[in-house]
Every structure is written in structure tokens, then in C-alpha cells.
Amino acid sequence: MELSPMIARYITMTNYEDLPDEVISFTKLCILDYFGSAFAGAKKEPIQMIDELVKEMGGEEQATLVTGGKSSVMNAAFVNGAASHIVELDDIHKASIIHAATVVVPAALAMAEWKALSGKDLITAVAIGYEVCYRIGEAVTPSHYYYWHNTATCGTFGATAASAKLLGLNEEEIIHALGNAGTQAAGLWEFIEDGAMTKQLHPGKAAMNGVISTILAKKGFTGARKILEGNRGFFKAMSEKYDENKVINRLGEEFKIVENSFKIHASCRHTHHAMDLMIELVKEKQINVADVDNIIVRTYQVAINITDNVDPTTQYASKFSLQFCTALALLKGQGGLDDFNDATLWDEEIRSLMERVKVVVDPEIDAAYPEKWGAKVDVHLKNGSIITKQTDFPKGDPENPVTSDELIDKFMKLAKDLPIEQRKIFASRVLALETLDTISELFESVKTIDSLG
């Protein structure tokens, strides 16, 4: 059977009643975590530019913007997707290398608010969206990831799946929606070479394109039926090696959303393993930075491809520098949102320590990727001794989890521009989404959302 029809059948056949309690609870945490990043990102300059764009272009007031006000469903997905990615604290799935929340949740939120759907509808759509994009991401990883940003490319399918569920598309319509989603899937890594703002277009456009594909399909607009496995389709065009079976193996028998990882450091996930190890050293008081001669970070090739930057010149570039993040974590003992700023970027002590950080590929760690995003760090001291630490799973992975209380605390900190009482009410409503008759009830609890933009 062709892949798109199988995915379409899965989407139409999966309902709220099919979700295990664990999946329902976990999905709500993913949605809350999304909002923390979105609220924190709303005021960032690139997001303000995107917000200005959509407001200049205009749009029916169908869905809420985290930057304030309302606009069309497409515009809301665009703005809210971009906003949730910029502070680098959004979730991540190891096997597919996708930040699903930043593409799936904004598309689903906009659609659910527009159609006055319930919290149960939203939970179901988000779980389905994660499932679809994760499976497609796993099928093309890791070869796809060298040039293509999986969140943008594979994420487009997840946004489409969630939107299609909410709009009530039938199987034939979903096939066409997926076809048109795949032809719009894009997002190149070249922006990382000069720290361009382009990365924020990736989740925003993926969420927006998912909405566009779904609404057009509902109107009868057709798309390629074999967009994934076709001779000129997604797999052959955008990956050197792929595994179609990963799309359909145990589809409907498991929910991959519970494999999701959450971020606690405000930087690229490929830096977190080393940061965790440095912070452990600080907490254990094993080291005095003045005694450090050099640090060798041994990790997997992809981490080096994305984060080997010995001289970041912008705050955003510093989040993609394994050398900077390692030095920052050792010197500050943390790597939260407020730790990445111009002061730390040009801090002489951090810069000096960065010069002594070397990153290399470890064959064993590389072979275990992407199932394990590990690192081994050797800290060479001036007295000749070496302190070695290793991890296979950064903090926030399912194998090294954060608690629900930690995620709630993360949301409260990221949404700090909202009054404390509104944050508490908003979080409680997200965690009780299944009781909401309409998604508008969620946004009604945030009376000052306009102050974020």
C-alpha cells in the first residue's frame, strides 16, 4: 500500500478515546512547553519583523497571535511557529531530529481556535501531528539532516496532519494535503554559516504551509499521491538513504510523542551533552577554572557539523557554538535564556576558555547517534591530571527526564512578561485542556498577551 493512504487512514481513525492516559498527560506538557518558548520569543527582533509583515498584509481575525491581537489562521500559524523557535528552548525528538512543538502546535492551535474546537480535539491533533512528522523524520535521518532542517521539512507533514484532523478531512483529502505539504517542505542549513535570521522562517512557514495544504485539500485542490516514496518525491530528492518502513512500522500501535525530549539550556540541543557535564563538574566542585589547561569534547559528527564554531559573533551564533556553550556552562554553572547575551558573548574569561576547547568525533559515540546524543569530555588540568565525564543522554531525554514540575517552572520563567497570576491560570488550563469546550477559553486567561509583542 502507498504511504500517504496509510498515513491518511491513521489520521482519520485515531481519536481522543484511543489515546492512553500517559499520552494525554504528556501531550499537554508538550503544549505547555511550546507556550513558554513562544511567549519568550514574542519580543525578539526577528519575530517582531514577521509580526509587522503579517499585520501590514492584513488578515481576518481568526486566531490569536502570541505577539498580540489576532489574524488569519495562516498568519497565526506563521507568527506563532516562528516565535516558539527563536529562544532555542523548544522540544526535540532524537531519532527524527525534529522540534515538533514549534510546527505542530501553532498550526493546530490556529485551526482549533478558528473552528471553535475543544481541548480534546487539540490534544488529539497534536499527538497525531507529532507521530506523522517523527516517522517521516526517522525515515530520512541522518542523511537528510546535513543540508535540510528536519523541523522545517518533515515538520510540514506534522503540521498538515494535525490541521487535517481538526478540519475533518477524509482520507482522500488528506492524501492531497500531504502531497502539497511535501512539495512545499523546505529549510536549508546555510543560515548557520553567518547566523542569519532565516531559521525562524523554517517553523513558521512549516506551520503555515500545513494550514495552507489542509484548507486547499478541503476545497478539492489535489496533490501528489506518492509525495514521499515517488520517483520525484520527498525521499529520493532530499536524502541519500531512507527507510520507508519507519513510516508505517507499528503505526497506530504506539505514540512516539512520549519519546520527546525537553530542553533546559537555551542553545542548540547538540551542545547540551557537554553543557550538562560541565555543570556537573561545577556542582561537584571538582574543578577550578584557573587550573584548566584544555578541554576535549568527544561527540558525534552531526554535532560538530552544526556547532563547531570557534568564534561566534552574535548571541544567536553563540547558541550554535559547542566551544562557547562548553565554556559558558563551566564558568557560569548554567545555560539558561538569560545566560546568552552580549556580556557573555564577549566575556574575556569565556573567550579565553573557548580557545582551549577542542571538539572531535568519537567513533563509538558517532555510531550510537541518533539513538544516543552523547559526549565524553576530558578536562586536562595544568598539574597533568585529567577529569573525564561522559553521558549518553542529555538532561530532558526520556532516559534522563525532567519532571512535570520542572516543566511548569520552566514555563513560569519563560513567560515572565505575563503577570504571575495569569501565568498560573494559563498553565492550569493547559494542563486541564481536556475540560475546555473551546480553545478560546485558553487565551481568555491571558488578558495582557498584547504586552508580549
Side-chain angles (χ1 to χ4, degrees):
M1 190 175 182
E2 296 170 352
L3 295 181
S4 289
M6 295 184 75
I7 295 171
R9 180 166 297 178
Y10 166 76
I11 294 170
T12 58
M13 296 295 290
T14 304
N15 297 304
Y16 181 82
E17 293 71 26
D18 300 312
L19 305 181
D21 290 343
E22 176 195 15
V23 171
I24 292 170
S25 298
F26 197 89
T27 302
K28 290 186 290 184
L29 287 173
C30 291
I31 294 171
L32 181 66
D33 195 63
Y34 157 81
F35 273 114
S37 288
F39 287 154
K43 284 187 175 180
K44 299 297 183 182
E45 184 181 10
I47 309 308
Q48 288 294 298
M49 293 177 185
I50 293 173
D51 181 63
E52 289 175 13
L53 167 68
V54 302
K55 287 174 179 173
E56 286 171 1
M57 296 299 99
E60 295 291 328
E61 293 189 353
Q62 298 165 332
T64 300
L65 306 175
V66 295
T67 49
K70 289 189 173 185
S71 190
S72 70
V73 177
M74 293 188 302
N75 286 345
F78 183 28
V79 172
N80 296 348
S84 61
H85 197 48
I86 193 168
V87 297
E88 290 295 331
L89 278 160
D90 46 342
D91 62 13
I92 181 73
H93 181 247
K94 296 196 300 291
S96 65
I97 326 179
I98 295 173
H99 303 273
T102 195
V103 289
V104 173
V105 177
L109 273 173
M111 191 71 75
E113 186 180 5
W114 178 37
K115 293 300 181 181
L117 300 175
S118 70
K120 288 183 178 180
D121 293 325
L122 179 65
I123 291 169
T124 307
V126 169
I128 288 172
Y130 272 59
E131 191 75 23
V132 170
C133 68
Y134 282 171
R135 287 174 172 276
I136 294 171
E138 286 187 29
V140 296
T141 295
S143 67
H144 179 79
Y145 189 67
Y146 184 80
Y147 293 107
W148 301 100
H149 188 192
N150 293 23
T151 299
T153 54
C154 307
T156 304
F157 293 102
T160 302
S163 300
K165 183 64 177 179
L166 291 166
L167 201 55
L169 268 58
N170 61 36
E171 290 183 26
E172 186 69 12
E173 291 167 337
I174 294 173
I175 292 169
H176 295 307
L178 293 170
N180 286 316
T183 206
Q184 295 180 86
L188 292 164
W189 274 112
E190 183 61 22
F191 73 86
I192 205 169
E193 298 298 328
D194 48 16
M197 297 178 182
T198 306
K199 191 168 190 268
Q200 311 324 316
L201 285 176
H202 291 182
K205 285 302 302 300
M208 183 182 190
N209 290 340
V211 168
I212 290 171
S213 300
T214 301
I215 295 175
L216 283 175
K218 191 67 174 176
K219 296 179 182 297
F221 194 95
T222 62
R225 299 187 64 87
K226 297 175 69 175
I227 192 62
L228 293 172
E229 74 276 26
N231 288 331
R232 300 184 185 184
F234 184 81
F235 289 162
K236 288 183 172 64
M238 300 172 73
S239 54
E240 294 179 4
K241 184 178 180 181
Y242 57 89
D243 184 352
E244 294 180 19
N245 189 57
K246 290 187 176 181
V247 179
I248 57 176
N249 183 41
R250 292 178 54 79
L251 180 63
E253 300 175 26
E254 61 184 5
F255 290 91
K256 287 186 170 293
I257 192 169
V258 297
E259 299 173 3
N260 202 39
S261 299
F262 297 99
K263 294 171 73 173
I264 58 171
H265 309 310
S267 57
C268 176
R269 184 63 169 179
H270 298 303
T271 68
H272 286 205
H273 42 35
M275 295 179 75
D276 285 347
L277 297 177
M278 294 298 99
I279 292 169
E280 282 182 23
L281 285 176
V282 173
K283 289 181 178 178
E284 294 167 2
K285 298 182 179 178
Q286 286 194 40
I287 194 167
N288 185 325
V289 176
D291 297 330
V292 174
D293 183 53
N294 64 80
I295 300 172
I296 300 176
V297 179
R298 306 178 191 279
T299 186
Y300 48 93
Q301 183 65 58
V302 168
I304 292 176
N305 292 345
I306 301 296
T307 65
D308 183 9
N309 184 351
V310 298
D311 185 26
T313 57
T314 67
Q315 288 183 40
Y316 201 69
S318 72
K319 294 170 178 278
F320 287 82
S321 167
L322 185 51
Q323 292 88 343
F324 179 89
C325 291
T326 300
L328 173 74
L330 184 58
L331 284 164
K332 301 294 183 183
Q334 58 189 26
L337 182 58
D338 294 335
D339 296 303
F340 289 86
N341 52 55
D342 279 343
T344 55
L345 175 63
W346 301 111
D347 182 274
E348 291 184 2
E349 192 174 15
I350 293 176
R351 287 278 166 173
S352 174
L353 184 57
M354 278 177 62
E355 293 175 357
R356 288 172 275 157
V357 176
K358 181 180 180 181
V359 299
V360 298
V361 174
D362 182 289
E364 290 186 8
I365 295 174
D366 189 49
Y369 176 83
E371 285 74 22
K372 297 177 181 180
W373 292 29
K376 180 179 180 181
V377 176
D378 297 324
V379 182
H380 295 252
L381 302 181
K382 293 178 180 177
N383 64 9
S385 62
I386 301 173
I387 300 174
T388 298
K389 295 190 76 70
Q390 184 168 358
T391 184
D392 289 327
F393 305 106
K395 180 70 172 176
D397 275 5
E399 300 85 355
N400 185 14
V402 292
T403 66
S404 57
D405 286 343
E406 286 175 311
L407 289 176
I408 293 169
D409 182 62
K410 175 185 171 183
F411 168 80
M412 297 295 284
K413 290 177 179 176
L414 290 179
K416 62 184 178 182
D417 287 339
L418 294 173
I420 182 67
E421 286 305 314
Q422 290 189 26
R423 274 178 272 167
K424 290 180 179 178
I425 294 170
F426 188 89
S428 67
R429 290 193 182 181
V430 172
L431 296 177
L433 263 179
E434 70 275 18
T435 68
L436 300 186
D437 292 329
T438 65
I439 296 305
S440 61
E441 296 175 49
L442 183 62
F443 291 110
E444 286 169 2
S445 65
V446 186
K447 302 299 183 183
T448 57
I449 195 170
D450 286 356
S451 68
L452 289 170

